[in-house]
Amino acid sequence: MPKKSKLDPRAYSRIVVDGIKQAPSRAMLRAVGFTDTDFDKPQVGIASTWSNLTPCNMHINELARLAAAGVEAQGAKAVTFNTITVSDGISMGTPGMRYSLVSREVIADSIETVVGAQGFDGVVALGGCDKNMPGCLMALARLDRPAVFVYGGTIRPGTDKRDIVSVFEAVGAYAQGRVSEQQLKFVERTAIPGPGSCSGMYTANTMASAIEALGMSLPNSSAQDAVSEQKRSDSERAGAAVVNLIKRGIRPRHIMTRRAFENAITVSIALGGSTNAVLHLLAMASSANVKLKLDDFTRIGKRVPVLADLRPSGRYSMSELVAIGGIQALMKSLLDAGLLHGDCLTVTGATLAENLRDVAAYPAGQEIVRPLSDPIKRDSHLVILYGNLAPEGAVAKITGKEGVRFNGRARVFNSEEDSLRGILAGKVRAGDVVVIRYEGPRGGPGMREMLSPTAAIMGKGLGSVVALITDGRFSGGSHGFVVGHLSPEAALGGALALVKTGDEITIDAERREITLHVSAVELKRRRGLWAPPKPYARRGALAKYSAQVSSASLGAVTDLE
């Protein structure tokens, strides 16, 4: 266990509010509700991602209030502030989706900015939609002040267990003539019943689970319904927990160690989680000064099986996993098998093994999480590929249901919009490898998620006979034979930019290779004729992001040393 530092509980707030010269600061704070006694207390910032623009975050204001109450019940002073969120589900398939990954950086920067400026001694960060979680954790790692993360919780399934992916796939089915306009409207109206993050093991639930395994949220915080007493209690207990961390001098970098990141990777694999876990864990590790690489996912993935039968490729929703006890029993079985590092410190102040000591097994007869002796897949579904199309790496999500090898002819599109039009118009046929390029971190910019194209392929019944590759990325709701994060990206002259419709491409998950069957001589000729695309934006947030962002193989961070 790492040594704990001796931390003055008011090490940061003391600078802001103590002494004669800080009278102006105290005057300002009195106006927002501080009293004389509050100036002698540790101050905890409550970083809320509340917004009424998405179901994922619409309830977080109440959870933030409860977290603040938990802080103040322990004798500290809570101060709540907001940061942004954007909705992937709403912006998906539109130019607005370019801002999704950008929002991760804005969230991290804004939390770091407020906490650094205001001199908070600790932080509780609450997140719901996908980018909230890594954004919060990146800020907490940078600041390295006592902190706890609270997940906003999962949404309950809609009618007939529908969710947002059901709507995307219904659009493809409508284009194929298998669903009427009236049926599509019914799916639209019944898929999203209220607050919470998307209901499968998509990116939000994947990242919440990874963060719990990392040790930065309380036990079972990742596996609670958004609208539940358990989530309300989790929020209040998080407030109390951060005060305990302040008193004990336990900081995020005591918790966010390399071994803890290996635990997060292990749990993400066992749950069949999103490919975005690769991108976000790399980014979070970078902020914590932990050297994590793509090849670590391969190394760990060789010995960790997929155990959870969860959507999008499986049968069950997160709420059904919640009903049988969440991920704690899964983690206990992984720990007992020697697949987790039990000595890692957590925000409870105890180790992971201590937290899991009295966890009971799943109830008999449940089929959501398989035993280690009978896995869904004996190694990881997150497959890192290399080859002449991705010399710096690419990330595939291969559960085994899609097969492990695909050979076909390229069907090239230069944007997500072009690909969706082509798929819905019937231009994509069995045996095609759909190529969507110029959607990388810099070229997109923002590395849009390809849920609309992958859902349209599924909806048209082509999921088992078509592959899709891109320098963009995928929603956790995407499934099928899909490969993303191809690096270097097309906009930087990566080989993806040189592919022509009709070229032969092979994706081999067993050999971990992705190959364009075009000679080096021909690729050199094509490169001589290639010109980079014009930037999508020349000013503003997208332009700044494009100028600063690193490769997807490094987490697409904007503050790389």
Side-chain angles (χ1 to χ4, degrees):
M1 184 187 301
K3 291 178 65 177
K4 308 179 193 72
S5 63
K6 293 181 179 178
L7 180 70
D8 174 1
R10 296 186 54 236
Y12 299 99
S13 60
R14 188 183 301 282
I15 297 169
V16 176
V17 301
D18 282 10
I20 295 297
K21 72 180 183 64
Q22 294 308 121
S25 304
R26 293 192 297 275
M28 297 283 283
L29 289 169
R30 289 180 192 279
V32 299
F34 274 62
T35 64
D36 284 341
T37 57
D38 290 334
F39 295 118
D40 296 324
K41 300 174 181 177
Q43 292 183 31
V44 176
I46 310 295
S48 169
T49 56
W50 172 82
S51 173
N52 205 35
L53 61 80
T54 171
C56 311
N57 296 65
M58 62 187 286
H59 62 302
I60 283 179
N61 56 345
E62 175 62 12
L63 301 184
R65 187 189 67 78
L66 291 165
V71 166
E72 302 207 333
Q74 298 300 311
K77 177 64 176 176
V79 182
T80 302
F81 65 96
N82 262 82
T83 183
I84 68 158
T85 188
V86 301
S87 171
D88 294 0
I90 295 171
S91 62
M92 195 74 70
T94 76
M97 187 63 191
R98 289 185 169 88
Y99 289 92
S100 172
L101 191 57
V102 175
S103 77
R104 185 189 74 179
E105 308 304 301
V106 176
I107 291 165
D109 291 350
S110 64
I111 293 175
E112 178 193 348
T113 299
V114 174
V115 174
Q118 297 299 121
F120 295 137
D121 301 298
V123 190
V124 177
L126 303 96
C129 200
D130 297 7
K131 308 313 164 299
N132 298 173
M133 284 166 273
C136 287
L137 268 291
M138 290 162 68
L140 301 183
R142 293 177 193 171
L143 290 159
D144 201 29
R145 303 181 191 188
V148 178
F149 176 77
V150 176
Y151 178 41
T154 187
I155 197 171
R156 288 171 177 164
T159 302
D160 296 330
K161 297 186 177 181
R162 293 191 181 98
D163 60 14
I164 186 63
V165 176
S166 307
V167 188
F168 280 99
E169 293 185 358
V171 172
Y174 174 77
Q176 189 72 0
R178 296 190 293 111
V179 166
S180 69
E181 185 174 356
Q182 184 178 8
Q183 288 171 315
L184 174 59
K185 182 68 73 174
F186 180 75
V187 172
E188 172 192 329
R189 287 173 171 166
T190 59
I192 312 294
S197 298
C198 299
S199 65
M201 189 48 63
Y202 310 147
T203 303
N205 283 319
T206 299
M207 292 313 303
S209 302
I211 291 166
E212 181 178 331
L214 188 68
M216 285 299 296
S217 60
L218 293 176
N220 246 0
S221 180
S222 70
Q224 295 162 341
D225 288 333
V227 182
S228 67
E229 282 305 312
Q230 290 81 7
K231 182 48 64 183
R232 290 172 60 85
S233 172
D234 177 53
S235 303
E236 191 165 359
R237 288 185 296 110
V242 79
V243 179
N244 177 55
L245 296 176
I246 291 171
K247 291 175 180 177
R248 296 182 60 181
I250 300 174
R251 305 192 308 273
R253 292 193 194 178
H254 292 142
I255 297 169
M256 298 172 70
T257 63
R258 180 178 177 82
R259 286 163 71 85
F261 275 100
E262 291 182 351
N263 286 345
I265 293 170
T266 296
V267 170
S268 297
I269 292 169
L271 289 168
S274 165
T275 53
N276 280 318
V278 178
L279 189 76
H280 295 324
L281 287 171
L282 288 171
M284 289 157 53
S286 176
S287 293
N289 284 336
V290 170
K291 296 190 182 302
L292 198 67
K293 298 181 179 179
L294 277 177
D295 291 343
D296 291 315
F297 289 83
T298 298
R299 174 178 56 82
I300 295 168
K302 288 179 180 179
R303 60 189 180 90
V304 178
V306 178
L307 300 175
D309 191 11
L310 295 168
R311 294 177 183 170
S313 57
R315 295 177 291 167
Y316 298 99
S317 71
M318 190 66 176
S319 280
E320 290 170 295
L321 180 60
V322 169
I324 64 167
I327 72 168
Q328 289 280 290
L330 169 65
M331 290 173 64
K332 181 68 158 57
S333 67
L334 293 169
L335 177 68
D336 291 344
L339 296 174
L340 290 179
H341 303 296
D343 59 345
C344 290
L345 190 62
T346 75
V347 292
T348 65
T351 66
L352 183 70
E354 289 168 338
N355 290 343
L356 294 172
R357 180 175 295 152
D358 298 322
V359 170
Y362 288 122
Q366 66 81 25
E367 297 181 347
I368 301 171
V369 180
R370 303 265 281 271
L372 283 160
S373 59
D374 183 28
I376 293 170
K377 189 172 185 287
R378 294 197 175 278
D379 56 4
S380 179
H381 65 300
L382 298 175
V383 181
I384 309 303
L385 306 172
Y386 292 96
N388 65 348
L389 267 177
E392 294 178 7
V395 182
K397 185 177 182 180
I398 308 293
T399 65
K401 296 178 181 179
E402 313 84 356
V404 294
R405 190 177 189 277
F406 194 99
N407 178 266
R409 297 288 175 179
R411 181 75 58 181
V412 178
F413 300 98
N414 287 334
S415 71
E416 180 186 7
E417 288 88 350
D418 285 351
S419 74
L420 186 59
R421 282 191 290 269
I423 294 164
L424 295 178
K427 293 181 179 179
V428 172
R429 300 178 179 88
D432 283 350
V433 178
V434 176
V435 174
I436 306 177
R437 62 191 179 193
Y438 301 116
E439 292 288 4
R442 185 169 294 185
M447 206 177 177
R448 288 192 288 179
E449 293 180 342
M450 301 295 131
L451 180 56
S452 293
T454 60
I457 287 169
M458 286 292 173
K460 288 178 74 69
L462 295 170
S464 62
V465 292
V466 165
L468 188 151
I469 67 174
T470 180
D471 51 6
R473 59 197 174 92
F474 297 107
S475 162
S478 292
H479 56 125
F481 211 110
V482 297
V483 184
H485 308 202
L486 271 74
S487 300
E489 61 178 285
L492 296 180
L496 198 67
L498 310 179
V499 181
K500 292 186 175 182
T501 292
D503 286 346
E504 183 183 1
I505 294 173
T506 299
I507 306 161
D508 191 326
E510 290 187 327
R511 296 169 64 96
R512 296 186 174 90
E513 293 177 351
I514 181 166
T515 305
L516 174 65
H517 296 284
V518 174
S519 71
V521 171
E522 172 61 12
L523 288 177
K524 183 177 180 180
R525 186 192 71 80
R526 292 182 189 182
R527 187 173 298 283
L529 300 173
W530 177 80
K534 293 180 180 179
Y536 181 84
R538 296 188 179 276
R539 298 290 297 274
L542 293 179
K544 287 189 286 187
Y545 179 86
S546 182
Q548 296 173 340
V549 69
S550 72
S551 165
S553 64
L554 299 174
V557 296
T558 55
D559 62 345
L560 197 66
E561 286 187 296

